[in-house]
Amino acid sequence: MTKRFKITIAYDGTNFAGFQTQPKQRTVQSVLERAVNKMSKEDEYITVFGSGRTDAGVHALGQVVHFDFPHEMTAENMLNALNSLLPLDCVVVKSEIVPDTFHARYTTHGKRYLYRVSQSHFVDPFKRNYTGHYKYPVDIEKIKAALPDVVGTHDFSSFVASGSQTKNHVRTIYDATVRRDESQNEIIFEFAGNGFLYNQVRIMVAVLLEIGRGKRPIHDFLRLYEVKDRSQARETAPASGLYLKEVYYD
């Protein structure tokens, strides 16, 4: 009778202490598990497994989770029931019943992240929780010239935050783009890859903005791959501009 549900969710990360459950903190995982277990009414606690963690303040357009539910229910009813119980800053956008072999974390083969940078002179109060902020003039053509150096398989040791527990820093980036949204006065980055290290996207964005400002040479990524030194990448773009856009499965 137990069925495995694959749930795609979107959330505003502003008032969450990240995805993963933490003691005495409001997290995405904890509000999901509270809703699922309220529906189940069983003694056995249902754990929700995510495709990966997002940090405090990071948003998601397409985070994926799975859990095993002990009662008969259609995918559509699961979507409706969860959305009736979840807070307004988290919504289920898709619900599917999947084979028991599916695992939100271990069967993924890639993710896509989006990063929004506001270029207003002062921090926009209506964007402060949803964009990074960079007031300096940026030559987007310089960033476009640097992006081919991002794509491919590289050792990203210079682009991983010091708190990371991961020993292997080699990752493959399939796709990296940048565009300017004139109507919003924003620069929009997107990165797709087989996996990302702790704060990797936010550090890469900070480096690319410095390249666009002329504070670094265009091909500085190639040097940073070689030196494997986090301090030489310097800044980390704010969590507020980062969105987990999509998680890829076979």
Side-chain angles (χ1 to χ4, degrees), residues 53-71:
R53 306 172 187 179
T54 52
D55 289 338
V58 174
H59 314 290
L61 304 172
Q63 170 72 288
V64 174
V65 305
H66 87 262
F67 56 85
D68 294 329
F69 196 70
H71 304 294

Side-chain angles (χ1 to χ4, degrees), residues 20-44:
Q20 190 174 33
T21 298
Q22 300 172 53
K24 298 180 181 177
Q25 297 284 336
R26 182 178 187 263
T27 70
V28 179
Q29 185 180 12
S30 64
V31 301
L32 280 169
E33 289 183 354
R34 191 176 305 126
V36 170
N37 283 280
K38 186 173 184 179
M39 288 164 53
S40 169
K41 298 187 175 75
E42 295 285 342
D43 291 336
E44 190 170 342

Side-chain angles (χ1 to χ4, degrees), residues 29 33-34 41 44 57 70 75 83 124 147 162 164 175 205 212-213:
Q29 185 180 12
E33 289 183 354
R34 191 176 305 126
K41 298 187 175 75
E44 190 170 342
N83 281 337
D124 184 331
L147 285 177
S162 55
S164 171
D175 182 44
V205 166
R213 191 184 169 195

